[in-house]
Amino acid sequence: MQIIDTIYIDGAFVTPHGDEMFDLFNPATEQVIGRVRLADAEDARAAIAAAKRAFPAFSRTDKRERIDMLERMHAAVIAREDALYEAITVEYGAPVSRGRWMARHASSVLLDAAQLLRDYPFTRRAGTAEVTMQPLGVAGLITPWNSDAGFICGKLAAALAAGCTAVVKPSEMSAMQTHIVTEALHDAGLPPGVFNIVTGRGDTVGAEISAHPDVAKLSFTGSTAVGKTILRTGAETLKRVTLELGGKSPVIVLDDADFEQAVPLALQAGFMNSGQACIAGTRILVPHTRLAEFEARVKQEMEQVHAGDPRDPQTTIGPMVSRKQWDRVQRYIRIGIDEGARLIAGGEGRPEGVDAGWFVRPTIFGDVTNEMTIAREEIFGPVLSIIAYHDTEESIRIANDTPYGLQAYVLSGDIQRAHAVASRIEAGRVLVNTLAHDPAAPFGGFKQSGIGREYGTFGLEAFLEPRSVLGVL
Ligand code: NAD
């Protein structure tokens, strides 16, 4: 049993003032595998004070120094990749290939930021003014459990590249992963206070960070409901706020798509990260004319989809992170059945032969209309809906008929046609015949999927504010 009883403030591992002990679980076995001592609001204030003290000197560092720091952070995280992968497996239950990707992603985002910084012009000219992009101040970075290390490192990379100092509040359910990342980042030898990591509850530590007058910027990834609370709280001191929230992403299968490629791609888009992905393609829009063919192919392809032991290389879907998430997914499967959707695969309960762990049956519903609850609300588990459409116009209308707008997928045999459809989708990212991520491309949501963008230049500028000086040029 691992006990984690320190947080990271002002360049040192310290015992939190908070004294609540919180159980950490292996979701594949439901066993308690560790305990973490949670920080409280007083710890958050100490972390914010340390970041505030570090800001004047750090904000004046030049690009070269910050690139150097990001490269050291990258090297330190990559050195812990195996330990991180292990923690991702036991504490989160990611299947092998996903877990490996997550462990690598945590370091690569740091290198991406270093690369970005090289070519970024902090000073430019606008009319008669010299415009300088200034770091905002102390950044509060609040992250969820579904890609703990990646979100911590990605948000830190952008904040520090910009010259902000930071207080990170990761999910309390990911303390083992956070601890490994923290140890790695400590090894990178940054000045004390530049980053601080306080694992605690959202309604104490998260709320304190969201409200504190010395925090200038909030960058949050998590649920839409909590995002709205953070926006309201941050409004009191006019914090700059970036919100990366939920999604109900459409996968538009055009009538010319080659199902040999389109069906596996659609299932991967829907089931990625065991369905616990904000960008999961959970509404699969299929032309009526080819619906039977599509569904038959889906049934066939589902033979390759295995929910079970995350360490088994055959596994494509791991457990849900918690009992709460398991219950939530079960509830939505029941709602789907009750509202008249037809089960094509999966259903309620655990997969056959599995009697422990928060595993769900990979589920696909047919006969879904876009008005049904399972088509409107984010489930955050491996539950997909197939919705039939008559023509391309209708597919676009259905795709956009959602309160969300994070990501969309268009699958077609004709790139130009797919491009034309993509250009009419209300989503921050539209992927055509691919699932590939590009760290230079902005990422974030239209509508209730969020505010602002992460990654690339847009992500960097979310931590900067322009200052114009006139009369000097
Ligand atoms: P959550 O909103 O419950 O929690 C996210 C973080 O916010 C956690 O660290 C939590 O402790 C903290 N928090 C909770 N209440 C808070 C409060 N009142 N003030 C400040 N902080 C608070 O989300 P979750 O259950 O951890 O993650 C799942 C959700 O995250 C899903 O809805 C998913 O769509 C979303 N998500 C979005 C993205 C994206 O990039 N858009 C990525 C991953 C996950």
Side-chain angles (χ1 to χ4, degrees):
M1 165 100 65
Q2 185 181 354
I3 305 292
I4 298 168
D5 56 4
T6 54
I7 51 176
Y8 190 76
I9 297 180
D10 214 8
F13 287 90
V14 296
T15 302
H17 173 269
D19 57 6
E20 178 187 352
M21 294 304 289
F22 181 83
D23 287 340
L24 301 169
F25 291 88
N26 179 337
T29 63
E30 303 176 40
Q31 302 296 313
V32 175
I33 51 169
R35 302 189 83 201
V36 55
R37 179 166 169 169
L38 296 181
D40 63 9
E42 189 162 327
D43 295 308
R45 287 191 287 275
I48 293 165
K52 186 182 179 185
R53 282 193 302 275
F55 180 71
F58 188 69
S59 61
R60 286 194 300 270
T61 52
D62 64 24
K63 243 164 62 157
R64 188 57 256 169
E65 289 170 88
R66 298 210 291 279
I67 289 170
D68 188 52
M69 288 183 211
L70 288 163
E71 285 176 348
R72 289 193 331 252
M73 292 162 82
H74 169 257
V77 175
I78 221 167
R80 308 274 173 132
E81 192 170 307
D82 285 342
L84 187 54
Y85 166 73
E86 189 56 29
I88 289 169
T89 308
V90 297
E91 187 182 49
Y92 180 62
V96 180
S97 62
R98 180 75 192 181
R100 281 280 165 211
W101 182 86
M102 286 166 120
R104 175 52 60 99
H105 181 68
S107 59
S108 69
V109 287
L110 293 157
L111 206 55
D112 293 337
Q115 191 64 43
L116 180 72
L117 213 44
R118 268 189 197 95
D119 302 324
Y120 183 76
F122 278 88
T123 302
R124 57 194 90 152
R125 194 181 173 137
T128 59
E130 176 204 72
V131 178
T132 308
M133 299 303 284
Q134 290 293 122
L136 282 165
V138 175
L141 313 176
I142 303 177
T143 62
W145 43 260
N146 66 336
S147 188
D148 177 74
F151 285 126
I152 293 175
C153 292
K155 287 188 193 293
L156 259 184
L160 269 47
C164 291
T165 56
V167 176
V168 186
K169 203 300 281 176
S171 169
E172 56 277 32
M173 288 192 282
S174 313
M176 289 182 176
Q177 298 158 77
T178 299
H179 193 64
I180 290 165
V181 172
T182 311
E183 283 180 333
L185 296 175
H186 174 71
D187 288 350
L190 269 56
V194 166
F195 72 90
N196 306 271
I197 301 184
V198 278
T199 298
R201 288 191 183 274
D203 55 4
T204 53
V205 175
E208 183 67 27
I209 293 171
S210 313
H212 202 290
D214 290 338
V215 174
K217 163 80 190 179
L218 293 170
S219 177
F220 168 80
T221 297
S223 62
T224 298
V226 172
K228 289 177 184 176
T229 304
I230 286 177
L231 187 61
R232 276 187 220 106
T233 310
E236 197 54 46
T237 45
L238 282 184
K239 296 189 199 320
R240 278 54 179 155
V241 179
T242 300
L243 302 175
E244 302 288 359
L245 309 175
K248 196 72 199 176
S249 300
V251 180
I252 304 179
V253 181
L254 293 182
D255 58 10
D256 61 5
D258 174 0
F259 286 180
E260 183 104 35
Q261 284 146 26
V263 173
L265 214 61
L267 294 186
Q268 280 173 47
F271 290 145
M272 70 169 80
N273 202 6
S274 306
Q276 301 177 126
C278 51
I279 54 174
T282 47
R283 291 183 299 142
I284 308 176
L285 313 189
V286 179
H288 267 294
T289 48
R290 298 187 65 192
L291 187 59
E293 187 194 343
F294 190 86
E295 288 187 0
R297 191 91 204 192
V298 162
K299 275 190 193 147
Q300 203 181 319
E301 202 58 42
M302 283 301 284
E303 285 164 22
Q304 311 302 319
V305 177
H306 303 289
D309 180 3
R311 290 189 193 276
D312 180 346
Q314 300 299 313
T315 295
T316 49
I317 299 186
M320 302 297 92
V321 73
S322 62
R323 171 83 207 193
K324 189 173 153 209
Q325 282 299 120
W326 191 87
D327 286 339
R328 176 188 166 97
V329 175
Q330 296 302 321
R331 189 173 69 83
Y332 276 110
I333 295 175
R334 163 88 352 235
I335 289 174
I337 295 166
D338 289 347
E339 289 189 353
R342 170 175 49 91
L343 278 172
I344 293 175
E348 289 176 280
R350 289 199 178 89
E352 216 175 314
V354 175
D355 46 18
W358 294 309
F359 294 97
V360 303
R361 297 171 69 191
T363 296
I364 304 204
F365 280 110
D367 297 342
V368 178
T369 67
N370 203 44
E371 287 68 44
M372 288 182 185
T373 308
I374 53 170
R376 300 215 74 79
E377 296 182 9
E378 186 180 52
I379 299 174
F380 229 55
V383 181
L384 312 183
S385 294
I386 296 179
I387 302 171
Y389 67 83
H390 290 97
D391 56 27
T392 310
E393 281 305 310
E394 191 185 18
S395 76
I396 295 168
R397 190 187 57 71
I398 298 172
N400 289 336
D401 177 13
T402 166
Y404 293 110
L406 188 58
Q407 187 143 298
Y409 307 80
V410 183
L411 309 181
S412 167
D414 178 343
I415 292 291
Q416 273 166 9
R417 209 177 144 216
H419 192 177
V421 171
S423 65
R424 294 179 55 199
I425 302 300
E426 296 161 2
R429 264 193 191 183
V430 187
L431 307 189
V432 174
N433 292 343
T434 182
L435 300 183
H437 164 68
D438 186 334
F443 173 74
F446 280 37
K447 301 191 274 186
Q448 294 194 35
S449 283
I451 294 178
R453 294 293 179 269
E454 295 194 286
Y455 291 111
T457 308
F458 291 90
L460 180 67
E461 291 191 338
F463 290 92
L464 294 166
E465 188 109 83
R467 182 184 54 219
S468 297
V469 178
L470 287 87
V472 292
L473 294 181

